[in-house]
Amino acid sequence: MLDVLTQKVHDEARQGEAFAPFINDPAQYQKKFYIESYGCQMNFSDSEIVASILQDAGFGATRDCAEADLILLNTCSIREKAEQTVRKRLTEFRKIKVANPGLLVGVLGCMAERIKSKLLEEEQLVDIVVGPDAYRSLPGLIEEAEGGQKAVNVLLSREETYADISPVRLNSNGVSGFVSIMRGCNNMCTFCVVPFTRGRERSRNAFSIVKECRDLFDRGYKEVTLLGQNVDSYYFTPEATDNNARRDTVTFASLLEMVAKISPLLRVRFSTSHPKDITDDVLYVIAKYKNICKYIHLPVQSGSTRILQMMNRTYTREWYMAKINRIREIIPGCGISSDIIAGFCTETEEDHQATLSLMEYSGYDLSYMFFYSERPGTLAQRRYKDDIPETVKKRRLQEIVNLQNRLSRESNEKDLGKTFEVLIEGNSKKSDQDWMGRTSQNKVIVFSKNGAYCNKGDYVNVKVTDCTKATLLGEIV
Ligand code: 5AD
Ligand code: SF4
């Protein structure tokens, strides 16, 4: 039950979405691929790069895995459960492979990187294994696999950013698009497998980022989310070869500004920020531009300085609190969300209480909450014993979830009677008589279509009349 709860509050609720790109007529392609993505937004964004590479190699997308020549799973390793889900899915594909022996099955992403060629032995039906920096080699690997060989490329790169590849927008609502600005992570949080699966941090060419955002806007998109494991350490120095007047180094603050200037009608979001790296410059730029959304995802992980140290987060409880104060001071009304881990190695009841009190202090609008899952090869796995019993981890997680539910409700209740500018994303899930959109603070708001003529992608002012802990309800004013 708890796992369901955790998933609901995390992006992994999107796990296993099958993507069928709305691109050129699939009939024009001789072969078809089917792709499923798991895990973080970065993985979903990577799948759009993979789709672009495959399209250029003559593969069209299909929504139906039974008619595919190639099935790909873009996988996540962040918690053990994510890997279990993928393994289960692979066994389900076994049936299709029996019916269609020519079918190729490929594993992409973090799990491919973590388990490498061992995956081919463990999962007999896997033909292709490709790590996050090797997607350009997919067409060659597919050819190898078609010739009956198992094909693997899990080389990590210090340079690859796929800057020149135009992602094929998969299952997009046509309003919001994700744009990858950097890859990898240098932080080495002790619990985290990402630095091992996604490699060293590198920033993408700023001009190619701005170009991609502008292209999206020209195609009718109204919102871009700039993605990176740690966006605040974005750093790009233009070279003489960059056909642009600008020569000074681009930081995350200046990148945000460059993207915000594309048009006041293009909303800019970003994820994820690290408390140690988010600067006042970034906060001032967010405050300065109306179209940069007033929302920061600022994972705390734990409220105990001792645990934060063991996690190698490089900030203390007090430092984090000061950051929250600074955000509230520079960007009044800013939405703030967090990631929290319950039951990290040696965590005491006192440490746990410190997490609860820091959540209360921060007044998060939303949190993604997990219990600690030891990952092979991480610093924590090598250094510490995973010594908190599962029952204790789950009980603590439940307390964290309960508190977050109250905080989310309180945050929504504070919005009652206020009017927000909302970007309409589409019909509400429950009724096509209602629109669903988001406020700048990233809150979902549902309101009746009655009484006003507007469309998906429009900005409207909506007054909040009611709320649940997860959603605001309102009416157009
Ligand atoms: N166990 C539990 N949660 C984890 N996260 C990362 N690694 C682990 C782990 N081993 C969480 C962190 C991170 C989010 C993306 O996933 O909270 O911010
Ligand atoms: Fe993992 Fe920490 Fe990097 Fe986030 S910042 S990806 S938690 S190592």
Side-chain angles (χ1 to χ4, degrees), residues 409-442:
R409 180 178 291 279
E410 282 171 7
S411 161
N412 280 354
E413 281 168 356
K414 276 191 209 144
D415 289 340
L416 289 174
K418 290 186 194 159
T419 297
F420 292 93
E421 187 180 70
V422 172
L423 173 61
I424 302 179
E425 290 183 14
N427 288 337
S428 99
K429 265 190 221 141
K430 289 196 187 137
S431 157
D432 60 8
Q433 301 302 302
D434 292 332
W435 288 122
M436 185 285 274
R438 263 170 225 272
T439 65
S440 171
Q441 290 75 9
N442 205 32

PDB file of all heavy atoms in Angstrom, residues 409-442:
ATOM      1  N   ARG A 409      -2.675  20.486   1.899  1.00  0.00           N
ATOM      2  CA  ARG A 409      -4.036  21.003   2.069  1.00  0.00           C
ATOM      3  C   ARG A 409      -3.992  22.444   2.580  1.00  0.00           C
ATOM      4  O   ARG A 409      -4.671  23.330   2.060  1.00  0.00           O
ATOM      5  CB  ARG A 409      -4.832  20.105   3.028  1.00  0.00           C
ATOM      6  CG  ARG A 409      -6.265  20.580   3.244  1.00  0.00           C
ATOM      7  CD  ARG A 409      -7.029  19.644   4.162  1.00  0.00           C
ATOM      8  NE  ARG A 409      -7.281  18.358   3.540  1.00  0.00           N
ATOM      9  CZ  ARG A 409      -8.284  18.136   2.681  1.00  0.00           C
ATOM     10  NH1 ARG A 409      -9.100  19.113   2.352  1.00  0.00           N
ATOM     11  NH2 ARG A 409      -8.456  16.942   2.164  1.00  0.00           N
ATOM     12  N   GLU A 410      -3.126  22.682   3.575  1.00  0.00           N
ATOM     13  CA  GLU A 410      -3.029  24.037   4.144  1.00  0.00           C
ATOM     14  C   GLU A 410      -2.578  25.037   3.079  1.00  0.00           C
ATOM     15  O   GLU A 410      -3.079  26.147   2.998  1.00  0.00           O
ATOM     16  CB  GLU A 410      -2.047  24.058   5.321  1.00  0.00           C
ATOM     17  CG  GLU A 410      -2.653  23.479   6.590  1.00  0.00           C
ATOM     18  CD  GLU A 410      -1.622  23.292   7.716  1.00  0.00           C
ATOM     19  OE1 GLU A 410      -0.463  23.738   7.567  1.00  0.00           O
ATOM     20  OE2 GLU A 410      -1.995  22.685   8.727  1.00  0.00           O
ATOM     21  N   SER A 411      -1.613  24.596   2.267  1.00  0.00           N
ATOM     22  CA  SER A 411      -1.112  25.480   1.216  1.00  0.00           C
ATOM     23  C   SER A 411      -2.238  25.811   0.233  1.00  0.00           C
ATOM     24  O   SER A 411      -2.399  26.965  -0.176  1.00  0.00           O
ATOM     25  CB  SER A 411       0.057  24.796   0.503  1.00  0.00           C
ATOM     26  OG  SER A 411       0.282  25.383  -0.735  1.00  0.00           O
ATOM     27  N   ASN A 412      -3.027  24.800  -0.141  1.00  0.00           N
ATOM     28  CA  ASN A 412      -4.134  25.047  -1.068  1.00  0.00           C
ATOM     29  C   ASN A 412      -5.200  25.940  -0.431  1.00  0.00           C
ATOM     30  O   ASN A 412      -5.775  26.803  -1.098  1.00  0.00           O
ATOM     31  CB  ASN A 412      -4.747  23.720  -1.533  1.00  0.00           C
ATOM     32  CG  ASN A 412      -3.915  23.094  -2.642  1.00  0.00           C
ATOM     33  OD1 ASN A 412      -2.961  23.702  -3.117  1.00  0.00           O
ATOM     34  ND2 ASN A 412      -4.269  21.885  -3.051  1.00  0.00           N
ATOM     35  N   GLU A 413      -5.458  25.732   0.862  1.00  0.00           N
ATOM     36  CA  GLU A 413      -6.496  26.547   1.526  1.00  0.00           C
ATOM     37  C   GLU A 413      -6.092  28.024   1.551  1.00  0.00           C
ATOM     38  O   GLU A 413      -6.949  28.896   1.470  1.00  0.00           O
ATOM     39  CB  GLU A 413      -6.755  26.019   2.943  1.00  0.00           C
ATOM     40  CG  GLU A 413      -7.651  24.777   2.903  1.00  0.00           C
ATOM     41  CD  GLU A 413      -7.735  24.027   4.222  1.00  0.00           C
ATOM     42  OE1 GLU A 413      -7.032  24.428   5.182  1.00  0.00           O
ATOM     43  OE2 GLU A 413      -8.487  23.029   4.275  1.00  0.00           O
ATOM     44  N   LYS A 414      -4.785  28.268   1.617  1.00  0.00           N
ATOM     45  CA  LYS A 414      -4.324  29.678   1.619  1.00  0.00           C
ATOM     46  C   LYS A 414      -4.644  30.369   0.294  1.00  0.00           C
ATOM     47  O   LYS A 414      -4.659  31.591   0.213  1.00  0.00           O
ATOM     48  CB  LYS A 414      -2.803  29.721   1.836  1.00  0.00           C
ATOM     49  CG  LYS A 414      -2.421  29.664   3.294  1.00  0.00           C
ATOM     50  CD  LYS A 414      -0.925  29.982   3.445  1.00  0.00           C
ATOM     51  CE  LYS A 414      -0.385  29.269   4.670  1.00  0.00           C
ATOM     52  NZ  LYS A 414       0.974  28.786   4.531  1.00  0.00           N
ATOM     53  N   ASP A 415      -4.856  29.573  -0.766  1.00  0.00           N
ATOM     54  CA  ASP A 415      -5.131  30.155  -2.089  1.00  0.00           C
ATOM     55  C   ASP A 415      -6.617  30.454  -2.311  1.00  0.00           C
ATOM     56  O   ASP A 415      -6.969  31.068  -3.316  1.00  0.00           O
ATOM     57  CB  ASP A 415      -4.642  29.202  -3.201  1.00  0.00           C
ATOM     58  CG  ASP A 415      -3.122  29.157  -3.267  1.00  0.00           C
ATOM     59  OD1 ASP A 415      -2.483  30.097  -2.759  1.00  0.00           O
ATOM     60  OD2 ASP A 415      -2.583  28.174  -3.824  1.00  0.00           O
ATOM     61  N   LEU A 416      -7.478  30.000  -1.393  1.00  0.00           N
ATOM     62  CA  LEU A 416      -8.920  30.224  -1.578  1.00  0.00           C
ATOM     63  C   LEU A 416      -9.196  31.716  -1.716  1.00  0.00           C
ATOM     64  O   LEU A 416      -8.664  32.528  -0.946  1.00  0.00           O
ATOM     65  CB  LEU A 416      -9.707  29.664  -0.381  1.00  0.00           C
ATOM     66  CG  LEU A 416      -9.769  28.132  -0.276  1.00  0.00           C
ATOM     67  CD1 LEU A 416     -10.436  27.692   1.016  1.00  0.00           C
ATOM     68  CD2 LEU A 416     -10.499  27.543  -1.484  1.00  0.00           C
ATOM     69  N   GLY A 417      -9.985  32.068  -2.721  1.00  0.00           N
ATOM     70  CA  GLY A 417     -10.357  33.483  -2.917  1.00  0.00           C
ATOM     71  C   GLY A 417      -9.353  34.253  -3.778  1.00  0.00           C
ATOM     72  O   GLY A 417      -9.656  35.343  -4.246  1.00  0.00           O
ATOM     73  N   LYS A 418      -8.151  33.676  -3.987  1.00  0.00           N
ATOM     74  CA  LYS A 418      -7.150  34.381  -4.802  1.00  0.00           C
ATOM     75  C   LYS A 418      -7.361  34.074  -6.287  1.00  0.00           C
ATOM     76  O   LYS A 418      -7.905  33.028  -6.646  1.00  0.00           O
ATOM     77  CB  LYS A 418      -5.738  33.931  -4.425  1.00  0.00           C
ATOM     78  CG  LYS A 418      -5.292  34.404  -3.052  1.00  0.00           C
ATOM     79  CD  LYS A 418      -3.824  34.022  -2.872  1.00  0.00           C
ATOM     80  CE  LYS A 418      -3.418  34.142  -1.421  1.00  0.00           C
ATOM     81  NZ  LYS A 418      -2.238  33.377  -1.086  1.00  0.00           N
ATOM     82  N   THR A 419      -6.872  34.981  -7.136  1.00  0.00           N
ATOM     83  CA  THR A 419      -6.970  34.769  -8.582  1.00  0.00           C
ATOM     84  C   THR A 419      -5.573  34.544  -9.149  1.00  0.00           C
ATOM     85  O   THR A 419      -4.634  35.257  -8.799  1.00  0.00           O
ATOM     86  CB  THR A 419      -7.630  35.995  -9.245  1.00  0.00           C
ATOM     87  OG1 THR A 419      -8.961  36.103  -8.716  1.00  0.00           O
ATOM     88  CG2 THR A 419      -7.700  35.840 -10.752  1.00  0.00           C
ATOM     89  N   PHE A 420      -5.436  33.519 -10.002  1.00  0.00           N
ATOM     90  CA  PHE A 420      -4.132  33.181 -10.592  1.00  0.00           C
ATOM     91  C   PHE A 420      -4.219  33.167 -12.109  1.00  0.00           C
ATOM     92  O   PHE A 420      -5.250  32.809 -12.670  1.00  0.00           O
ATOM     93  CB  PHE A 420      -3.691  31.775 -10.144  1.00  0.00           C
ATOM     94  CG  PHE A 420      -3.370  31.689  -8.686  1.00  0.00           C
ATOM     95  CD1 PHE A 420      -4.342  31.315  -7.773  1.00  0.00           C
ATOM     96  CD2 PHE A 420      -2.099  31.988  -8.220  1.00  0.00           C
ATOM     97  CE1 PHE A 420      -4.051  31.232  -6.415  1.00  0.00           C
ATOM     98  CE2 PHE A 420      -1.801  31.916  -6.872  1.00  0.00           C
ATOM     99  CZ  PHE A 420      -2.774  31.538  -5.967  1.00  0.00           C
ATOM    100  N   GLU A 421      -3.095  33.506 -12.729  1.00  0.00           N
ATOM    101  CA  GLU A 421      -3.004  33.298 -14.174  1.00  0.00           C
ATOM    102  C   GLU A 421      -2.703  31.817 -14.398  1.00  0.00           C
ATOM    103  O   GLU A 421      -1.760  31.277 -13.810  1.00  0.00           O
ATOM    104  CB  GLU A 421      -1.888  34.144 -14.776  1.00  0.00           C
ATOM    105  CG  GLU A 421      -1.901  34.056 -16.285  1.00  0.00           C
ATOM    106  CD  GLU A 421      -0.796  34.895 -16.924  1.00  0.00           C
ATOM    107  OE1 GLU A 421       0.380  34.507 -16.791  1.00  0.00           O
ATOM    108  OE2 GLU A 421      -1.123  35.917 -17.543  1.00  0.00           O
ATOM    109  N   VAL A 422      -3.531  31.200 -15.230  1.00  0.00           N
ATOM    110  CA  VAL A 422      -3.431  29.750 -15.430  1.00  0.00           C
ATOM    111  C   VAL A 422      -3.182  29.456 -16.907  1.00  0.00           C
ATOM    112  O   VAL A 422      -3.806  30.064 -17.777  1.00  0.00           O
ATOM    113  CB  VAL A 422      -4.751  29.074 -14.974  1.00  0.00           C
ATOM    114  CG1 VAL A 422      -4.785  27.605 -15.340  1.00  0.00           C
ATOM    115  CG2 VAL A 422      -4.956  29.267 -13.472  1.00  0.00           C
ATOM    116  N   LEU A 423      -2.263  28.541 -17.170  1.00  0.00           N
ATOM    117  CA  LEU A 423      -2.043  28.066 -18.539  1.00  0.00           C
ATOM    118  C   LEU A 423      -2.860  26.785 -18.715  1.00  0.00           C
ATOM    119  O   LEU A 423      -2.672  25.811 -17.975  1.00  0.00           O
ATOM    120  CB  LEU A 423      -0.551  27.787 -18.763  1.00  0.00           C
ATOM    121  CG  LEU A 423      -0.185  27.137 -20.093  1.00  0.00           C
ATOM    122  CD1 LEU A 423      -0.585  28.002 -21.283  1.00  0.00           C
ATOM    123  CD2 LEU A 423       1.314  26.834 -20.152  1.00  0.00           C
ATOM    124  N   ILE A 424      -3.771  26.805 -19.685  1.00  0.00           N
ATOM    125  CA  ILE A 424      -4.649  25.640 -19.881  1.00  0.00           C
ATOM    126  C   ILE A 424      -3.881  24.522 -20.591  1.00  0.00           C
ATOM    127  O   ILE A 424      -3.331  24.724 -21.670  1.00  0.00           O
ATOM    128  CB  ILE A 424      -5.896  26.016 -20.721  1.00  0.00           C
ATOM    129  CG1 ILE A 424      -6.674  27.139 -20.037  1.00  0.00           C
ATOM    130  CG2 ILE A 424      -6.788  24.798 -20.936  1.00  0.00           C
ATOM    131  CD1 ILE A 424      -7.913  27.590 -20.799  1.00  0.00           C
ATOM    132  N   GLU A 425      -3.845  23.354 -19.951  1.00  0.00           N
ATOM    133  CA  GLU A 425      -3.101  22.221 -20.533  1.00  0.00           C
ATOM    134  C   GLU A 425      -4.005  21.252 -21.293  1.00  0.00           C
ATOM    135  O   GLU A 425      -3.539  20.458 -22.094  1.00  0.00           O
ATOM    136  CB  GLU A 425      -2.348  21.465 -19.433  1.00  0.00           C
ATOM    137  CG  GLU A 425      -1.193  22.280 -18.884  1.00  0.00           C
ATOM    138  CD  GLU A 425      -0.368  21.541 -17.844  1.00  0.00           C
ATOM    139  OE1 GLU A 425      -0.505  20.305 -17.708  1.00  0.00           O
ATOM    140  OE2 GLU A 425       0.411  22.224 -17.155  1.00  0.00           O
ATOM    141  N   GLY A 426      -5.313  21.272 -20.978  1.00  0.00           N
ATOM    142  CA  GLY A 426      -6.233  20.367 -21.673  1.00  0.00           C
ATOM    143  C   GLY A 426      -7.464  20.120 -20.831  1.00  0.00           C
ATOM    144  O   GLY A 426      -7.695  20.806 -19.826  1.00  0.00           O
ATOM    145  N   ASN A 427      -8.238  19.103 -21.239  1.00  0.00           N
ATOM    146  CA  ASN A 427      -9.424  18.750 -20.457  1.00  0.00           C
ATOM    147  C   ASN A 427      -9.020  18.200 -19.106  1.00  0.00           C
ATOM    148  O   ASN A 427      -7.954  17.596 -18.971  1.00  0.00           O
ATOM    149  CB  ASN A 427     -10.223  17.661 -21.184  1.00  0.00           C
ATOM    150  CG  ASN A 427     -10.927  18.210 -22.410  1.00  0.00           C
ATOM    151  OD1 ASN A 427     -11.178  19.420 -22.496  1.00  0.00           O
ATOM    152  ND2 ASN A 427     -11.222  17.347 -23.350  1.00  0.00           N
ATOM    153  N   SER A 428      -9.869  18.393 -18.120  1.00  0.00           N
ATOM    154  CA  SER A 428      -9.594  17.768 -16.826  1.00  0.00           C
ATOM    155  C   SER A 428      -9.762  16.253 -16.994  1.00  0.00           C
ATOM    156  O   SER A 428     -10.466  15.803 -17.897  1.00  0.00           O
ATOM    157  CB  SER A 428     -10.532  18.318 -15.753  1.00  0.00           C
ATOM    158  OG  SER A 428     -11.602  17.442 -15.534  1.00  0.00           O
ATOM    159  N   LYS A 429      -9.088  15.517 -16.121  1.00  0.00           N
ATOM    160  CA  LYS A 429      -9.130  14.057 -16.264  1.00  0.00           C
ATOM    161  C   LYS A 429     -10.557  13.529 -16.128  1.00  0.00           C
ATOM    162  O   LYS A 429     -10.955  12.580 -16.783  1.00  0.00           O
ATOM    163  CB  LYS A 429      -8.261  13.422 -15.168  1.00  0.00           C
ATOM    164  CG  LYS A 429      -6.857  13.121 -15.637  1.00  0.00           C
ATOM    165  CD  LYS A 429      -6.130  12.285 -14.595  1.00  0.00           C
ATOM    166  CE  LYS A 429      -4.705  12.782 -14.457  1.00  0.00           C
ATOM    167  NZ  LYS A 429      -4.192  12.793 -13.111  1.00  0.00           N
ATOM    168  N   LYS A 430     -11.347  14.180 -15.251  1.00  0.00           N
ATOM    169  CA  LYS A 430     -12.659  13.623 -14.926  1.00  0.00           C
ATOM    170  C   LYS A 430     -13.755  14.027 -15.908  1.00  0.00           C
ATOM    171  O   LYS A 430     -14.716  13.295 -16.090  1.00  0.00           O
ATOM    172  CB  LYS A 430     -13.059  14.062 -13.511  1.00  0.00           C
ATOM    173  CG  LYS A 430     -12.227  13.363 -12.447  1.00  0.00           C
ATOM    174  CD  LYS A 430     -12.856  13.487 -11.083  1.00  0.00           C
ATOM    175  CE  LYS A 430     -11.906  12.926 -10.038  1.00  0.00           C
ATOM    176  NZ  LYS A 430     -11.828  13.762  -8.852  1.00  0.00           N
ATOM    177  N   SER A 431     -13.625  15.220 -16.516  1.00  0.00           N
ATOM    178  CA  SER A 431     -14.740  15.673 -17.348  1.00  0.00           C
ATOM    179  C   SER A 431     -14.250  16.578 -18.476  1.00  0.00           C
ATOM    180  O   SER A 431     -13.427  17.463 -18.248  1.00  0.00           O
ATOM    181  CB  SER A 431     -15.738  16.434 -16.456  1.00  0.00           C
ATOM    182  OG  SER A 431     -16.514  17.303 -17.243  1.00  0.00           O
ATOM    183  N   ASP A 432     -14.814  16.366 -19.677  1.00  0.00           N
ATOM    184  CA  ASP A 432     -14.419  17.258 -20.769  1.00  0.00           C
ATOM    185  C   ASP A 432     -15.203  18.568 -20.720  1.00  0.00           C
ATOM    186  O   ASP A 432     -15.071  19.414 -21.602  1.00  0.00           O
ATOM    187  CB  ASP A 432     -14.519  16.565 -22.125  1.00  0.00           C
ATOM    188  CG  ASP A 432     -15.927  16.094 -22.434  1.00  0.00           C
ATOM    189  OD1 ASP A 432     -16.851  16.447 -21.668  1.00  0.00           O
ATOM    190  OD2 ASP A 432     -16.103  15.380 -23.445  1.00  0.00           O
ATOM    191  N   GLN A 433     -16.028  18.716 -19.694  1.00  0.00           N
ATOM    192  CA  GLN A 433     -16.701  20.001 -19.467  1.00  0.00           C
ATOM    193  C   GLN A 433     -15.813  20.963 -18.677  1.00  0.00           C
ATOM    194  O   GLN A 433     -16.130  22.132 -18.495  1.00  0.00           O
ATOM    195  CB  GLN A 433     -18.015  19.796 -18.668  1.00  0.00           C
ATOM    196  CG  GLN A 433     -19.014  18.878 -19.340  1.00  0.00           C
ATOM    197  CD  GLN A 433     -19.387  19.381 -20.722  1.00  0.00           C
ATOM    198  OE1 GLN A 433     -19.870  20.496 -20.881  1.00  0.00           O
ATOM    199  NE2 GLN A 433     -19.122  18.567 -21.749  1.00  0.00           N
ATOM    200  N   ASP A 434     -14.688  20.421 -18.145  1.00  0.00           N
ATOM    201  CA  ASP A 434     -13.780  21.232 -17.321  1.00  0.00           C
ATOM    202  C   ASP A 434     -12.388  21.297 -17.949  1.00  0.00           C
ATOM    203  O   ASP A 434     -11.921  20.320 -18.545  1.00  0.00           O
ATOM    204  CB  ASP A 434     -13.619  20.596 -15.923  1.00  0.00           C
ATOM    205  CG  ASP A 434     -14.902  20.660 -15.118  1.00  0.00           C
ATOM    206  OD1 ASP A 434     -15.705  21.580 -15.343  1.00  0.00           O
ATOM    207  OD2 ASP A 434     -15.098  19.771 -14.264  1.00  0.00           O
ATOM    208  N   TRP A 435     -11.726  22.442 -17.758  1.00  0.00           N
ATOM    209  CA  TRP A 435     -10.320  22.571 -18.153  1.00  0.00           C
ATOM    210  C   TRP A 435      -9.417  22.215 -16.976  1.00  0.00           C
ATOM    211  O   TRP A 435      -9.802  22.370 -15.826  1.00  0.00           O
ATOM    212  CB  TRP A 435      -9.980  24.008 -18.548  1.00  0.00           C
ATOM    213  CG  TRP A 435     -10.527  24.519 -19.840  1.00  0.00           C
ATOM    214  CD1 TRP A 435     -11.332  25.609 -20.010  1.00  0.00           C
ATOM    215  CD2 TRP A 435     -10.269  24.008 -21.153  1.00  0.00           C
ATOM    216  NE1 TRP A 435     -11.595  25.807 -21.347  1.00  0.00           N
ATOM    217  CE2 TRP A 435     -10.956  24.832 -22.066  1.00  0.00           C
ATOM    218  CE3 TRP A 435      -9.524  22.919 -21.638  1.00  0.00           C
ATOM    219  CZ2 TRP A 435     -10.921  24.615 -23.438  1.00  0.00           C
ATOM    220  CZ3 TRP A 435      -9.493  22.699 -23.002  1.00  0.00           C
ATOM    221  CH2 TRP A 435     -10.187  23.541 -23.888  1.00  0.00           C
ATOM    222  N   MET A 436      -8.199  21.778 -17.319  1.00  0.00           N
ATOM    223  CA  MET A 436      -7.158  21.594 -16.314  1.00  0.00           C
ATOM    224  C   MET A 436      -5.976  22.475 -16.719  1.00  0.00           C
ATOM    225  O   MET A 436      -5.601  22.514 -17.895  1.00  0.00           O
ATOM    226  CB  MET A 436      -6.715  20.126 -16.285  1.00  0.00           C
ATOM    227  CG  MET A 436      -5.718  19.761 -15.208  1.00  0.00           C
ATOM    228  SD  MET A 436      -4.029  20.309 -15.507  1.00  0.00           S
ATOM    229  CE  MET A 436      -3.424  18.966 -16.479  1.00  0.00           C
ATOM    230  N   GLY A 437      -5.426  23.193 -15.768  1.00  0.00           N
ATOM    231  CA  GLY A 437      -4.248  24.006 -16.046  1.00  0.00           C
ATOM    232  C   GLY A 437      -3.372  24.080 -14.819  1.00  0.00           C
ATOM    233  O   GLY A 437      -3.609  23.379 -13.835  1.00  0.00           O
ATOM    234  N   ARG A 438      -2.335  24.890 -14.901  1.00  0.00           N
ATOM    235  CA  ARG A 438      -1.430  25.067 -13.766  1.00  0.00           C
ATOM    236  C   ARG A 438      -1.218  26.543 -13.484  1.00  0.00           C
ATOM    237  O   ARG A 438      -1.171  27.361 -14.410  1.00  0.00           O
ATOM    238  CB  ARG A 438      -0.071  24.459 -14.070  1.00  0.00           C
ATOM    239  CG  ARG A 438       0.103  23.082 -13.536  1.00  0.00           C
ATOM    240  CD  ARG A 438       1.377  22.476 -14.081  1.00  0.00           C
ATOM    241  NE  ARG A 438       1.101  21.132 -14.515  1.00  0.00           N
ATOM    242  CZ  ARG A 438       1.177  20.071 -13.721  1.00  0.00           C
ATOM    243  NH1 ARG A 438       1.580  20.207 -12.490  1.00  0.00           N
ATOM    244  NH2 ARG A 438       0.876  18.877 -14.174  1.00  0.00           N
ATOM    245  N   THR A 439      -1.037  26.830 -12.213  1.00  0.00           N
ATOM    246  CA  THR A 439      -0.633  28.176 -11.827  1.00  0.00           C
ATOM    247  C   THR A 439       0.885  28.256 -11.998  1.00  0.00           C
ATOM    248  O   THR A 439       1.560  27.232 -12.152  1.00  0.00           O
ATOM    249  CB  THR A 439      -0.970  28.456 -10.354  1.00  0.00           C
ATOM    250  OG1 THR A 439      -0.175  27.588  -9.539  1.00  0.00           O
ATOM    251  CG2 THR A 439      -2.450  28.212 -10.058  1.00  0.00           C
ATOM    252  N   SER A 440       1.399  29.463 -11.919  1.00  0.00           N
ATOM    253  CA  SER A 440       2.847  29.645 -11.981  1.00  0.00           C
ATOM    254  C   SER A 440       3.522  28.805 -10.888  1.00  0.00           C
ATOM    255  O   SER A 440       4.601  28.245 -11.093  1.00  0.00           O
ATOM    256  CB  SER A 440       3.139  31.137 -11.785  1.00  0.00           C
ATOM    257  OG  SER A 440       4.494  31.370 -11.642  1.00  0.00           O
ATOM    258  N   GLN A 441       2.852  28.684  -9.752  1.00  0.00           N
ATOM    259  CA  GLN A 441       3.411  27.936  -8.606  1.00  0.00           C
ATOM    260  C   GLN A 441       3.312  26.423  -8.800  1.00  0.00           C
ATOM    261  O   GLN A 441       3.584  25.653  -7.882  1.00  0.00           O
ATOM    262  CB  GLN A 441       2.680  28.328  -7.313  1.00  0.00           C
ATOM    263  CG  GLN A 441       2.960  29.729  -6.817  1.00  0.00           C
ATOM    264  CD  GLN A 441       2.249  30.819  -7.630  1.00  0.00           C
ATOM    265  OE1 GLN A 441       1.396  30.532  -8.476  1.00  0.00           O
ATOM    266  NE2 GLN A 441       2.608  32.070  -7.410  1.00  0.00           N
ATOM    267  N   ASN A 442       2.900  26.005  -9.985  1.00  0.00           N
ATOM    268  CA  ASN A 442       2.839  24.592 -10.367  1.00  0.00           C
ATOM    269  C   ASN A 442       1.672  23.842  -9.731  1.00  0.00           C
ATOM    270  O   ASN A 442       1.680  22.618  -9.674  1.00  0.00           O
ATOM    271  CB  ASN A 442       4.154  23.868 -10.043  1.00  0.00           C
ATOM    272  CG  ASN A 442       4.360  22.655 -10.942  1.00  0.00           C
ATOM    273  OD1 ASN A 442       3.923  22.651 -12.098  1.00  0.00           O
ATOM    274  ND2 ASN A 442       4.988  21.623 -10.415  1.00  0.00           N
TER     275      ASN A 442
END
